[in-house]
Every structure is written in C-alpha cells, then in structure tokens.
Amino acid sequence: MNASFQKLFMAGAVAAALAVAIGAFGAHGLKPMLAASGRLETFETAVKYHFYHALGMMILAIWAKVAEQQTVTRAGWLLLAGTCIFSGSLYALCLLNIGWLGAITPVGGVLMIIGWAYAAWAAVRS
C-alpha cells in the first residue's frame, strides 16, 4: 500500500505543479492569443479542474495511506486519468484549435465523476 500512496501522491504533486506552470504560461504568454480566439475562458476552466483534481489526488493518497483501502487509490488514479483527458483535451483544443477534441472532454469528466464516486464508496465502506 505504501508504494501506491507514494506514486499517487507524486502524481498529484506533479499534476499540481504542471497546473500552476500551464496556468502561468496561459495568463502571461498565451493570453493575447487565447483572448483573440475566444478560448481564454475554456483554458482557465481546464487549469481550474486540473489544479482542483491534482489536490484531490494528493488528499486521496493520504487517505489511502491511513485507511489502507485500495478503493481510495483507484479513485485517485481515476481522477488522474480524468484530468489528463478533460484538461488535456481542452488545452489541446485551445492551443491547436482542433474542434473535435471538445468531443472527448466529457470522457474525462465522466472519469472524474467515477473517481469521486469511488471515494464516496470508500467512505461508506470505512
């Protein structure tokens, strides 16, 4: 269980660092381009969800270590997958202007929802 905790916490910490870096890059380096294309709000949404779920992964990692429940760890990995697909597709949509990428964004959202449902299930079981 300890290795799972460490990997999930590390993934969350790296994801949080990336969210800050990507958000700063968007706010300072890409803002004129994103504003001109009307994608600034979409980019900001991607960064917000990215950061919130990175924090969620770290919280779940700590909980997984304390509770020693595999369900909690699974919840964290689902959040990671959901974040990569949700925020990743929105980042790509904003930067590459490929419209069909918006069609896969909901898949990431569903994975995040399932991850939080797993966390709720783990809470009920403990």
Side-chain angles (χ1 to χ4, degrees):
M1 180 58 78
N2 197 19
S4 294
F5 153 78
Q6 289 174 328
K7 288 177 186 174
L8 181 57
F9 194 90
M10 185 179 67
V14 169
L18 285 172
V20 173
I22 292 168
F25 183 59
H28 299 290
L30 299 175
K31 191 171 186 176
M33 181 193 81
L34 292 170
S37 68
R39 302 268 191 210
L40 183 59
E41 188 175 330
T42 301
F43 193 86
E44 289 172 347
T45 298
V47 171
K48 274 192 285 190
Y49 275 75
H50 183 164
F51 193 72
Y52 296 155
H53 286 83
L55 290 176
M57 282 183 272
M58 290 187 291
I59 291 167
L60 289 173
I62 293 167
W63 180 18
K65 183 176 184 180
V66 172
E68 295 189 13
Q69 285 192 32
Q70 192 62 33
T71 305
V72 178
T73 305
R74 284 189 192 115
W77 292 119
L78 284 163
L79 292 186
L80 178 62
T83 301
C84 288
I85 295 170
F86 181 87
S87 293
S89 66
L90 290 180
Y91 293 144
L93 173 68
C94 291
L95 298 175
L96 304 174
N97 202 25
I98 301 172
W100 65 264
L101 286 170
I104 64 169
T105 303
V107 174
V110 168
L111 288 172
M112 287 188 236
I113 292 167
I114 294 169
W116 289 117
Y118 260 75
W121 175 248
V124 167
R125 290 183 38 194
S126 61

